[in-house]
């Protein structure tokens, strides 16, 4: 099947770019002597996860228990949930533990005790890591608080839990305004974790793992000493935000949306890819990235460049309103390729993506973990 045979809009995954992204990140981790554990929330596909693992990844991360259930059912046998899972989910987690190696994070004592009690009742032991707030101020213990070491010692002593180490997410890297700031975020994250690990060891608790995860800081985190695991997710596809942050180029972006011009008026054209396809996420980054995605010039081949005359300035559910600065040759019926601002949310909006090689559609991949939000 050819791309021209497909109705639009469609989410496309360029196989060559996808595999190159997987290989590049794996080489980065392997050269640094650390484990790569990709976050599967970006692709939500056991097929893609298997490609990552076959190339050296130790397992995957999942955002929610529902995602983990999909990947475990597909035979992925090492799954980490870097999310504060509530002990109410104990029956589901116990069922997962029968099929895969499962680990979760904790950052609240009552939650940790709930998991301890659930595991004791079941006669099982659950691997946990302590989430550390390294500056994003979402989840995680304050590493500089007076009670940080007491928290670590308490978790280490809870029956039914096996404390593996510390885990963090430098999500504030997405707001960096320079490469130097991104590098500083990664360095500070590693310093925070290694310092806390050393303090814990001095107080009698050995922590084996120091796990970090974010695509914008990936290239800098790989240079840091003392870390044991990298957990990037978006790197597998990349998107316009990662381009704006300097983590990728347009030619690295494996995920695009192909859309059709459905209307044209003075100063604007309309595409058939609205918020149900592109999402309403804005791009963030060091470089300017206005609008709801980058419309590529030409057929989306390589080398890529954006069509600077076109800005997707408004989304309705089924319409993308594109401002035309100057003139465009595009007419109703013509097709364009769009690099979305945020690939992860695009994956969650479609039942399947099309794996392509140039103009050829190679395979249809189900987005198997789509919508698994519990």
């Amino acid at each position: 099947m050819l791309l021209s045979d497909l109705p639009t809009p469609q989410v496309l995954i360029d196989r060559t770019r996808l595999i190159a992204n997987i290989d590049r990140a794996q080489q980065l981790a392997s050269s640094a002597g650390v484990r790569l554990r990709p976050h599967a929330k970006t692709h939500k596909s056991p097929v893609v996860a298997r490609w990552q693992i076959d190339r050296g990844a130790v397992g995957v991360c999942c955002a929610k228990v529902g995602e983990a259930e999909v990947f475990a059912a597909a035979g992925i046998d090492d799954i980490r949930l870097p999310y504060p899972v509530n002990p109410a989910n104990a029956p589901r987690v116990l069922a997962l533990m029968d099929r895969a190696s499962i680990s979760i994070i904790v950052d609240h004592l009552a939650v940790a005790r709930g998991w301890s009690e659930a595991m004791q009742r079941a006669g099982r032991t659950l691997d946990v890591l302590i989430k550390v707030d390294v500056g994003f101020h979402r989840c995680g213990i304050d590493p500089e608080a007076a009670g940080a070491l007491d928290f670590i010692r308490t978790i280490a002593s809870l029956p039914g839990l096996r404390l593996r180490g510390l885990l963090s997410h430098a999500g504030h890297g997405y707001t960096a305004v320079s490469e130097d700031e991104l590098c500083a975020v990664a360095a500070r994250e590693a310093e925070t974790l290694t310092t806390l690990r050393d303090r814990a060891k001095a107080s009698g608790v050995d922590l084996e793992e120091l796990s970090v995860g974010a695509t914008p800081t990936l290239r800098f985190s790989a240079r840091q000493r003392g870390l044991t695991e990298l957990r990037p997710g978006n790197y597998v596809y990349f998107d316009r935000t990662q381009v704006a942050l300097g983590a990728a180029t347009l030619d690295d972006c494996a995920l695009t949306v192909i859309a059709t011009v459905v209307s044209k008026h003075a100063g604007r054209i309309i595409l058939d890819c609205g918020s149900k396809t592109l999402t309403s996420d804005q791009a963030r980054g060091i470089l300017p990235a206005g609008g709801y995605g980058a419309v590529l010039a030409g057929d989306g081949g390589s080398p890529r460049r954006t069509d600077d005359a076109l800005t997707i300035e408004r989304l309705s559910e089924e319409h993308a309103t594109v401002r035309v600065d100057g003139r465009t040759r595009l007419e109703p019926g013509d097709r364009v390729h769009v690099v979305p601002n945020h690939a992860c949310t695009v994956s969650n909006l479609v039942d399947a993506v099309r794996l392509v090689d140039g103009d050829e559609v190679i395979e249809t991949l189900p987005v198997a973990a789509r919508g698994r939000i519990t």
Side-chain angles (χ1 to χ4, degrees):
M1 180 187 296
L2 299 177
L3 280 181
S4 57
D5 298 322
L6 294 175
T8 62
Q10 294 279 344
V11 177
L12 310 179
I13 307 298
D14 185 285
R15 180 177 63 178
T16 299
R17 291 180 168 93
L18 169 67
I19 297 302
N21 292 341
I22 293 173
D23 288 342
R24 190 183 309 114
Q26 186 61 58
Q27 179 60 40
L28 192 65
S30 297
S31 296
V34 298
R35 295 185 293 273
L36 182 69
R37 183 187 296 275
H39 205 311
K41 70 172 184 175
T42 299
H43 53 71
K44 304 181 189 298
S45 166
V47 174
V48 177
R50 180 55 61 189
W51 292 340
Q52 292 171 311
I53 291 169
D54 287 347
R55 284 166 171 77
V58 298
V60 299
C61 292
C62 290
K64 294 290 186 70
V65 176
E67 281 190 3
E69 288 167 340
V70 171
F71 284 89
I76 305 300
D77 61 6
D78 194 333
I79 301 172
R80 177 158 289 171
L81 288 154
Y83 187 86
V85 184
N86 191 275
N89 292 287
R92 297 170 69 191
V93 171
L94 284 164
L96 280 170
M97 291 169 67
D98 291 333
R99 295 187 288 177
S101 173
I102 302 295
S103 55
I104 67 169
I105 61 106
V106 293
D107 66 353
H108 192 282
L109 189 54
V111 172
R113 284 176 171 154
W115 280 110
S116 173
E117 293 166 3
M119 292 299 118
Q120 287 183 84
R121 288 193 297 268
R124 306 290 292 273
T125 300
L126 175 63
D127 286 340
V128 300
L129 295 92
I130 293 173
K131 181 71 176 285
V132 179
D133 182 1
V134 293
F136 191 34
H137 305 319
R138 187 173 64 184
C139 298
I141 66 167
D142 181 350
E144 298 179 359
L149 283 180
D150 286 340
F151 184 86
I152 292 172
R153 284 193 293 263
T154 300
I155 301 303
S157 70
L158 289 176
L161 303 184
R162 181 187 298 112
L163 179 57
R164 299 293 301 274
L166 307 175
L167 178 147
S168 62
H169 171 60
H172 51 304
Y174 278 90
T175 62
V177 297
S178 69
E179 289 264 330
D180 287 345
E181 185 177 345
L182 269 175
C183 183
V185 167
R188 177 59 179 162
E189 178 182 35
E191 180 186 12
T192 299
L193 294 186
T194 54
T195 298
L196 189 55
R197 177 202 60 195
D198 292 345
R199 291 174 59 204
K201 183 174 182 178
S203 70
V205 179
D206 284 324
L207 301 172
E208 297 177 5
E209 296 194 40
L210 296 183
S211 175
V212 303
T215 294
T217 50
L218 172 64
R219 60 197 187 277
F220 303 113
S221 294
R223 305 174 188 173
Q224 307 303 316
R225 298 177 63 86
L227 302 178
T228 64
E229 181 176 87
L230 303 173
R231 306 184 328 275
N234 188 278
Y235 83 94
V236 71
Y237 288 160
F238 287 124
D239 53 30
R240 193 169 178 230
T241 294
Q242 301 299 337
V243 173
L245 286 164
T249 68
L250 284 174
D251 278 314
D252 295 323
C253 294
L255 184 149
T256 58
V257 171
I258 188 169
T260 299
V261 179
V262 293
S263 185
K264 183 178 184 180
H265 300 280
R268 71 182 186 275
I269 60 174
I270 308 298
L271 305 178
D272 60 359
C273 56
S275 61
K276 290 180 179 178
T277 310
L278 291 179
T279 85
S280 57
D281 284 10
Q282 294 281 350
R284 299 165 287 175
I286 299 166
L287 303 174
Y292 293 93
V295 181
L296 298 178
D299 61 1
S302 185
R304 287 175 170 172
R305 61 182 180 86
T306 58
D307 189 329
D308 294 332
L310 304 179
T311 302
I312 304 175
E313 63 178 5
R314 189 170 78 247
L315 295 180
S316 306
E317 289 185 61
E318 311 292 355
H319 305 73
T321 301
V322 183
R323 186 180 74 244
V324 179
D325 296 313
R327 302 181 63 183
T328 180
R329 296 180 180 180
L330 293 171
E331 297 289 340
D334 290 338
R335 293 186 170 196
V336 297
H337 292 257
V338 180
V339 176
N341 289 340
H342 190 181
C344 307
T345 50
V346 170
S347 291
N348 197 52
L349 290 173
V350 292
D351 292 326
V353 295
R354 308 287 189 162
L355 191 68
V356 301
D357 183 3
D359 291 331
E360 183 182 357
V361 180
I362 304 167
E363 188 177 354
T364 297
L365 297 179
V367 186
R370 178 194 179 194
R372 299 301 180 112
I373 59 174
T374 62

